[in-house]
Amino acid sequence: MEKDVFFMKRALDLAKMGRGRTSPNPMVGAVVVKDGEIVGEGYHRKAGDPHAEVIALTTAGERARGAELYVNLEPCCHFGRTPPCTDAIIKAGVKRVVAAMTDPNPMVAGKGVKRLKDAGIEVDVGVMEEEARKLNEVFIKYITTKKPFVVAKIAQSIDGKIALASGESRWITGEPARVKAHELRSWYDAVMVGIGTVLADDPLLTCRLPGKKKNPVRIVVDSNARMPLNARMLECKNGQVILATTEKADSKKVRLLQEKGVEVIKTDAMDGRVNLCKLLEILGCMEITSILVEGGSTLTSSLIKEGLVDKLLIFLAPLVIGGDGIDSVNELYIDEMSRAVRFKFNSVELIGKDILLEAYPD
């Protein structure tokens, strides 16, 4: 119904207000409607805080009795960090619940809907489901696989170069695109780079947007522990630093990095490099639900080759660098066109003078 779409859009807009702060929980917004009027609304602010439904029902008070509740995710029916939302909905006397999608969490997965229906509440599921699944794509991947959602971000020229032959890469994209990149850092749990990027650029990898206090966990993939002890990200104490390395790394160097506050994860070596599949499993166990990969080309290529990229974000700048520049993706050793790694474009956005392409594995 047109009415259901209207109020679900509001629930989705509310849910987005928690972006970057709810992990490992999903983003959820809720709207209480009585006689066609919104009488209560809320969104989940961070893990451990009240859920969106509870906030909306509390705001509505007695007006929630006989009202409709719109929420972008099936209400939970289990005790986690907070009590079940289904109990609060039933107690409030809501007559109808409209959910955009069922909860992919195996602990819920339709049980919340059943609990509400058993209590005599009318339940409809599927209003704006596609938009709801897109919003919580990180949560869906993590809760069903216990592995983080991996986003590979590439800033490149029209001809696919990320730097000059000298390694110079500042700046391929314009200021608006760089601001967007910092916004992305505030959305995802962690940002990951290869040691080549650290040695070439000495990045901080922090989120430097006004008013944004959350910094991502910073992960460096460095099979030989070559990270300099005076790297800028080690001097910046605002955020955790993880070094992903292998057993072949020098133990003395590893110990010195640990003394600087670096958390070290060791995996077995795959062709002399960090085992990325194993690394993602370990990071998932640490409740890191999403990773923004910012380079360089070797790390991005390895993730693509192993099928570990869930989304590509390509900032395409209107300039040409030429054949002697550094490619955004290096050798994948593909010998037939039918074996090329294929993606499908989902959206195109103009950001300043640059274009942002969003693509998913096809």
Side-chain angles (χ1 to χ4, degrees):
M1 290 192 302
E2 186 177 334
K3 178 195 74 169
D4 288 347
V5 171
F6 177 85
F7 290 119
M8 188 60 72
K9 283 182 178 179
R10 178 56 184 165
L12 285 164
D13 286 343
L14 286 166
K16 293 173 188 176
M17 294 173 69
R19 193 189 295 272
R21 300 192 300 277
T22 64
S23 178
N25 292 348
M27 290 176 276
V28 182
V31 178
V32 180
V33 178
K34 185 75 169 284
D35 299 326
E37 178 187 354
I38 294 177
V39 295
E41 59 182 29
Y43 69 96
H44 185 45
R45 289 172 169 80
K46 64 178 182 179
D49 276 13
H51 286 190
E53 300 95 315
V54 173
I55 296 172
L57 291 170
T58 301
T59 305
E62 277 302 312
R63 293 174 296 177
R65 191 161 300 279
E68 296 174 298
L69 174 69
Y70 291 83
V71 59
N72 61 292
L73 187 68
E74 174 186 7
C76 67
C77 56
H78 67 289
F79 280 90
R81 290 182 171 94
T82 58
C85 289
T86 50
D87 290 0
I89 294 168
I90 294 167
K91 184 179 179 181
V94 170
K95 72 172 183 180
R96 178 176 181 244
V97 172
V98 182
M101 59 177 285
T102 55
D103 192 332
N105 185 344
M107 295 181 70
V108 185
K111 299 183 184 72
V113 170
K114 184 178 184 305
R115 174 83 176 93
L116 295 172
K117 286 183 175 180
D118 287 347
I121 297 174
E122 180 186 350
V123 181
D124 290 304
V125 180
V127 177
M128 299 190 71
E129 181 173 0
E130 184 178 345
E131 291 85 348
R133 296 186 70 85
K134 176 73 168 63
L135 177 66
N136 273 314
E137 60 187 4
V138 167
F139 175 74
I140 293 170
K141 163 77 182 291
Y142 178 73
I143 204 66
T144 55
T145 67
K146 294 304 179 186
K147 295 179 183 177
F149 188 89
V150 178
V151 181
K153 180 183 79 68
I154 302 171
Q156 66 177 46
S157 61
I158 289 175
D159 55 338
K161 307 298 179 179
I162 60 172
L164 303 178
S166 65
E168 181 185 348
S169 60
R170 296 184 180 179
W171 294 102
I172 286 180
T173 56
E175 179 65 21
R178 297 199 294 275
V179 170
K180 180 66 176 180
H182 279 277
E183 184 178 48
L184 290 171
R185 289 180 184 177
S186 76
W187 289 0
Y188 296 105
D189 287 352
V191 59
M192 178 187 286
V193 296
I195 184 59
T197 297
V198 175
L199 296 175
D201 300 336
D202 195 17
L204 282 172
L205 301 182
T206 53
C207 174
R208 298 187 289 280
L209 292 180
K212 296 284 186 180
K213 297 180 180 179
K214 173 186 171 288
N215 276 320
V217 174
R218 293 163 289 172
I219 304 168
V220 178
V221 179
D222 178 9
S223 54
N224 291 300
R226 292 188 290 154
M227 176 182 273
L229 294 172
N230 63 347
R232 288 203 305 156
M233 75 171 70
L234 301 185
E235 302 304 319
C236 174
K237 302 300 182 182
N238 193 1
Q240 181 183 8
V241 177
I242 294 175
L243 181 80
T245 189
T246 65
E247 295 294 342
K248 68 178 184 177
D250 180 77
S251 57
K252 181 180 179 181
K253 179 66 175 298
V254 168
R255 187 170 62 255
L256 291 172
L257 286 166
Q258 289 173 318
E259 290 174 358
K260 297 277 288 186
V262 177
E263 182 169 352
V264 176
I265 296 174
K266 288 186 179 181
T267 74
D268 54 302
M270 292 278 291
D271 298 325
R273 293 177 177 172
V274 171
N275 183 329
L276 295 173
C277 287
K278 185 63 177 177
L279 174 60
L280 292 182
E281 289 178 9
I282 295 170
L283 294 172
C285 290
M286 297 168 63
E287 286 197 338
I288 292 177
T289 69
S290 58
I291 300 172
L292 179 67
V293 180
E294 293 200 8
S297 59
T298 299
L299 176 58
T300 300
S301 302
S302 296
L303 289 165
I304 290 174
K305 185 162 55 177
E306 295 185 38
L308 300 175
V309 173
D310 296 297
K311 179 161 72 173
L312 276 178
L313 292 176
I314 303 172
F315 288 87
L316 192 62
L319 53 86
V320 174
I321 289 176
D324 56 344
I326 298 174
D327 291 326
S328 58
V329 178
N330 58 28
E331 294 87 352
L332 295 180
Y333 305 105
I334 293 170
D335 54 7
E336 296 178 13
M337 189 60 73
S338 62
R339 297 178 60 193
V341 184
R342 297 187 181 276
F343 289 80
K344 54 185 176 183
F345 289 120
N346 183 69
S347 66
V348 180
E349 181 181 357
L350 186 64
I351 301 181
K353 295 181 179 180
D354 305 308
I355 291 175
L356 174 58
L357 303 172
E358 180 185 64
Y360 291 86
D362 190 359

